[in-house]
Amino acid sequence: MAVTIRDVARRAHVSVATVSRALTSPELVRPETRTRVLAAATELGYQPNRAARGLITGKTGNIGIVVPDLDNPFFTGVLKAVQARAMQADYAVFVADSDEDPVAEAKLVHAMAKQVDGVVLCAPGLEDSQVREVAGVTSLVLLNRRLPGVPAALMDSAGGMHAVIDHLVALGHRRIAYLNGPRTSWSNQERRRGLMTAVAKHGVDLVDLGPFAPRFEGGLQAADLALAAATTAIVAYNDIMALGVLARLRDRGVSVPGDVSVTGFDDLTYASLCSPALTTVAMPVAQAGRTAVNLLLDWLDSDHTDAPQIMAETQLIVRGTTTPPKR
Amino acid sequence: MAVTIRDVARRAHVSVATVSRALTSPELVRPETRTRVLAAATELGYQPNRAARGLITGKTGNIGIVVPDLDNPFFTGVLKAVQARAMQADYAVFVADSDEDPVAEAKLVHAMAKQVDGVVLCAPGLEDSQVREVAGVTSLVLLNRRLPGVPAALMDSAGGMHAVIDHLVALGHRRIAYLNGPRTSWSNQERRRGLMTAVAKHGVDLVDLGPFAPRFEGGLQAADLALAAATTAIVAYNDIMALGVLARLRDRGVSVPGDVSVTGFDDLTYASLCSPALTTVAMPVAQAGRTAVNLLLDWLDSDHTDAPQIMAETQLIVRGTTTPPKR
DNA sequence: TTGAAAGCGCTAACAT
DNA sequence: ATGTTAGCGCTTTCAA
């Protein structure tokens, strides 16, 4: 077995209680004693057993994160930031992948509950009521989902989509197609909301297509429909769909941005690597991830009266797939 | 506080020991009693406290995984499989990101050690001796790294690279450039090993360039050098570099695959989405991830006499960037 | 400022 | 087949 607090106590010629105090409440022990204890601890390579500590303090020093898909760079971006911020705060992180299954999401949170102080639930597909239920079993912070009473780290996709339309309109586009992602997803609803506001403001024509699968194939399928609608610009739900659109357009001999402008959403790595490079909206995944952890940590020692929802700004990245329409 | 084993015991009119047995060793308790206990447990929504259990059994029911970069789809692919397989076996998983820092790798494993039954260490940058040291603190399984005495899940990159050369030679290429990744990385060494074997076998000319940064920019830089060397094919260390090569070649008006063939390695999503689609080698990340967990679980109840190293096969994916050379 | 002792939730002897 | 009891490693009263 590993080295325990008792080994340290023996070596430092003090009681286990003193060792414990030296480690967790330094002010309660004489500096001299403290140094002796610390020395003994490092000499033995002592690492407190967090499970044992948690048993008594009721805090585990762990947080959990549940994501819909670990193959999606959007969520791993969040994960990376969550893990980094958590480590900084001396928390370890559990991950779980729900595989886009709402039922699994709830199950996973339940399973984690006993081992963590709280969990970050990313873009859940759960109904509001189920999210509430889950928020009852452990401290919850939502990412990209809004629910009164539950803290949330949000990204302003509506604003990003608004910027996309502003951009296209400024270029002179007057008839624009939007390729919807999954109707029920919060992301699509938000993006659509920003779109609608902007479209109404500018008084331009919107051709609302879909929903399509938020994948390359969805883009392939959508491209032909958008073309048939004779719009000068195509706004895709996300980058992957946009890449599908680009591919199909190329196959049909339609030039981008010559004949039609195309935009994506997310700013995945390869949006900048394809040619022409894709005009898109960058999501502040890292910032949102950090914020989520901060919210969780704050929530843990708050009286739970107000649940903040913090919005991180998106950013329009103008690249090569948008120009003024031909006239 | 949550519901404990005592609450269940009281409700089922038995002792805590019986509850414990009913849950963990059903055969030791009368079926009738067992049902009563189980009923009480579900009614109360009882979930055993794993930390408390671990304190006495010495097993945590957790495993850890340490990766160099959570933004790299290669590692998140592994992670996804690891988490899926672990969950299946009723293990929860801790993740940590070392940010490509060998020192951090070692630290992270140490930090996790107390909370896990073992850890999967992915493609560590650590020296052999340091990996050994780390293997002493907890049960370790290596991914894409070979070290006698330590179980490992490997991917046959050497074989994959060999297949690349076979393919190019079959097309008629006789003078090939290899763009090295980081010299010290196990991956580059393995890929290079396969390359050398194949090159020697076929007796073709190899122009060995680099090392380059395994990024898009590295590819941009490498492209000009490869062109100057007048080879008919360019074999990149990985897909991202290959995409950089493609971009630079296009800028210089060099046609792919017309003027020169290009191959990547890894089969990232966008390798199939760019145009022409990239000929590359698919890494069996999911399989290796599952294998790593299996090895770890086996290792935990083995006598540690033999440490298996299991190799998963890579696969050459022929797409649009390779054709016979111009003559 | 320090030590002795109780106990967190659970399992594993040891009894019965 | 079931109950009693002693810890697992740690923190936290309570006393000294």
Side-chain angles (χ1 to χ4, degrees), chain A residues 101 144 202 272 302 315 318 320 327:
Chain A
D101 174 9
N144 265 10
H202 294 298
S272 67
S302 85
Q315 189 177 0
V318 178
R327 170 91 316 248

Side-chain angles (χ1 to χ4, degrees), chain B residues 65-190:
Chain B
I65 173 171
V66 176
V67 299
D69 181 12
L70 283 170
D71 271 341
N72 185 328
F74 176 80
F75 294 116
T76 55
V78 173
L79 171 60
K80 177 152 178 130
V82 163
Q83 131 42 245
R85 179 68 188 95
M87 201 159 67
Q88 226 176 38
D90 208 34
Y91 276 75
V93 3
F94 278 110
V95 241
D97 182 331
S98 70
D99 252 316
E100 312 270 6
D101 174 9
V103 180
E105 284 172 353
K107 265 212 199 90
L108 290 170
V109 177
H110 274 102
M112 281 183 165
K114 279 290 197 322
Q115 301 206 80
V116 301
D117 295 337
V119 357
V120 176
L121 182 56
C122 295
L126 256 18
E127 311 267 312
D128 281 4
S129 62
Q130 301 172 297
V131 175
R132 278 246 147 63
E133 187 272 332
V134 148
V137 16
T138 187
S139 293
L140 204 66
V141 166
L142 262 17
L143 189 126
N144 266 10
R145 171 80 173 251
R146 202 167 218 146
L147 190 62
V150 184
L154 274 10
M155 309 185 206
D156 186 17
S157 352
M161 199 49 109
H162 199 297
V164 167
I165 300 300
D166 285 350
H167 167 64
L168 290 173
V169 169
L171 288 175
H173 294 270
R174 290 291 173 268
R175 185 169 163 79
I176 298 171
Y178 176 60
L179 314 181
N180 281 275
R183 288 271 183 209
T184 55
S185 90
W186 195 80
S187 283
N188 186 60
Q189 285 167 15
E190 281 295 294

Side-chain angles (χ1 to χ4, degrees), chain B residues 4-5 17 20 46 49 52-53 56:
Chain B
T4 88
I5 199 175
S20 174
Y46 171 73
N49 182 324
R53 174 180 294 178
I56 158 140

